[in-house]
Amino acid sequence: MADAQTTYAHLRDGLDWPDGGPGEQLILLHARLPGHRREALTRRVRTALSSTGERPERLVVVTTSLLDMSLDIDVDVMVSDLAPLHTLLQRLGRLWRFDHIVRPDWLSCDRPRLIVLNPADHRGHSLLPPAWRPLDSPFLPLATAAYLARRPEHPLTLPDDVQQLVEAVHGDADALARTDAALYRSHTLHRARTRTEEHHSALHLVPPWHDTLSLSDLHRQNLHPREAATRLGAMPRRLLPVYRTPDGRLTLDAAGTQPLPEHRKPTTAQIRTILQHTLPVPAAWVAGRARDHHVPASWRSHALLADLVLLPQDAGDPTRPVRFGRHRLHLDDALGLVHTED
């Protein structure tokens, strides 16, 4: 997400945008935007790039893997960071998806093209940025880069080539891994990690003793997320940005038109509105929260609201960062949440 924010800011500020600037021509879309804003931007992209919509003359979308979901959209050109091969193949499905679309005159190629950016060191060897390492096994993008570099220069044909491509990287990749010592070490770690994940996935969850009244209770699957949580400490928390008005009220907007229902149980409509204004952040970011960051007591009995963390801001200066332990968080309407670590 930080890469997407940086790329968006560079394109917005570093390019000479015609026709009034980048406002309607450049979009940033990622999962850490508030839900209502993310839904609106996704709807705008889906409408503009659909098979029947009025295609804009210029639209640049900077996004994360959020658009890897099955969106029925068509793009003229795609530039992607290096990713596992199956992810790149999925993204290829958004290129020239509809045959009836008239391609712009500035396109210099007569077939769809995906440009993959390969991060490399000074010797030209693939080197993944540190921020990528927790996302997936490092072997998969590294093997993808190695395979594409050795592949003959001719177009891919989908879906005819999919099986061969996927098996080369995601199947028995031992032959590919042995072509490079560093890649082989990464492959060894990848196989160990895969075996560990398979072992953990085979574990069965047992309900706590105080909820077990009969033998059938041992087989139920509807455990509470807290009991079934994996990757302890890494699960995201829901952050709710709120504004503190001069008279001390907390609202969902700086104008003070959507107050928080602090003194009574929220209705279903209010809960939906509250959740649409939340955004996910890593649990470590809000580990040092203080009393001001706790939700109202009336919310704690509701499963969807009990674990929310408030982000109170001054309505007059909503850009001032809020401190959580070692972390400082602040909101930027254009970029989404911006995180600064001390």
Side-chain angles (χ1 to χ4, degrees):
M1 296 183 191
D3 288 345
Q5 291 171 332
T6 302
T7 301
Y8 172 86
H10 173 74
L11 295 176
R12 179 192 61 189
D13 303 332
L15 297 184
D16 183 16
W17 291 86
D19 307 326
E24 296 298 321
Q25 306 173 62
L26 180 64
I27 292 178
L28 173 64
L29 180 59
H30 58 75
R32 205 167 286 150
L33 292 166
H36 66 101
R37 178 170 173 79
R38 185 175 66 250
E39 292 172 5
L41 290 174
T42 303
R43 191 181 311 114
R44 179 182 167 191
V45 171
R46 184 187 293 115
T47 301
L49 302 180
S50 67
S51 61
T52 58
E54 183 177 351
R55 203 168 183 85
E57 181 177 350
R58 181 184 296 103
L59 181 63
V60 178
V61 181
V62 180
T63 184
T64 60
S65 57
L66 191 66
L67 282 192
D68 287 348
M69 66 180 105
S70 298
L71 286 182
D72 193 21
I73 60 175
D74 174 290
V75 300
D76 297 317
V77 173
M78 182 181 295
V79 180
S80 172
D81 276 324
L82 179 64
L85 189 56
H86 74 281
T87 300
L88 296 180
L89 292 174
Q90 188 174 15
R91 293 174 184 175
L92 275 173
R94 311 291 179 266
L95 270 169
W96 294 29
R97 191 177 183 90
F98 311 124
D99 294 335
H100 67 277
I101 299 294
V102 179
R103 303 300 163 186
D105 296 335
W106 50 261
L107 272 179
S108 59
C109 55
D110 58 356
R111 59 173 63 97
R113 175 173 295 179
L114 169 64
I115 302 169
V116 181
L117 304 179
N118 182 27
D121 59 18
H122 65 282
R123 296 174 296 177
H125 297 162
S126 297
L127 180 65
L128 302 185
W132 291 17
R133 293 170 188 167
L135 301 180
D136 207 338
S137 171
F139 171 74
L140 296 177
L142 291 175
T144 299
Y147 178 78
L148 294 179
R150 290 170 172 79
R151 191 178 182 277
E153 290 284 344
H154 60 78
L156 297 175
T157 302
L158 302 182
D160 299 349
D161 294 338
V162 169
Q163 187 69 22
Q164 174 191 354
L165 293 169
V166 171
E167 288 181 355
V169 174
H170 300 276
D172 185 6
D174 189 68
L176 175 64
R178 290 183 181 277
T179 59
D180 181 82
L183 188 61
Y184 185 75
R185 290 192 297 269
S186 180
H187 185 225
T188 303
L189 294 175
H190 170 69
R191 287 187 298 181
R193 173 177 175 173
T194 301
R195 287 193 295 267
T196 301
E197 291 176 348
E198 290 174 349
H199 169 72
H200 288 165
S201 67
L203 297 178
H204 295 278
L205 298 172
V206 178
W209 64 268
H210 51 75
D211 285 342
T212 306
L213 302 178
S214 65
L215 185 61
S216 62
D217 289 336
L218 295 175
H219 302 279
R220 60 187 175 88
Q221 299 297 314
N222 56 336
L223 296 181
H224 191 279
R226 293 196 196 99
E227 301 165 5
T230 58
R231 296 178 61 199
L232 295 178
M235 296 296 288
R237 300 299 298 271
R238 305 297 302 186
L239 195 68
L240 178 62
V242 293
Y243 299 89
R244 183 177 285 112
T245 60
D247 58 0
R249 293 183 302 114
L250 294 178
T251 64
L252 293 173
D253 61 328
T257 61
Q258 299 186 56
L260 266 65
E262 298 186 30
H263 304 297
R264 58 186 177 87
K265 184 177 179 180
T267 65
T268 301
Q270 289 172 330
I271 291 173
R272 183 181 299 111
T273 300
I274 290 170
L275 293 178
Q276 286 179 337
H277 283 77
T278 63
L279 40 91
V281 299
W285 285 17
V286 293
R289 58 176 173 167
R291 177 180 299 181
D292 289 346
H293 304 139
H294 289 277
V295 298
S298 59
W299 294 10
R300 295 172 189 165
S301 61
H302 196 286
L304 296 176
L305 301 180
D307 291 333
L308 290 186
V309 179
L310 294 186
L311 179 64
Q313 304 167 98
D314 184 354
D317 184 16
T319 62
R320 176 186 295 179
V322 177
R323 182 177 296 277
F324 290 90
R326 296 185 303 108
H327 303 272
R328 290 184 300 164
L329 308 178
H330 70 272
L331 291 179
D332 185 302
D333 288 338
L335 299 179
L337 183 71
V338 178
H339 159 237
T340 304
E341 184 173 349
D342 291 345

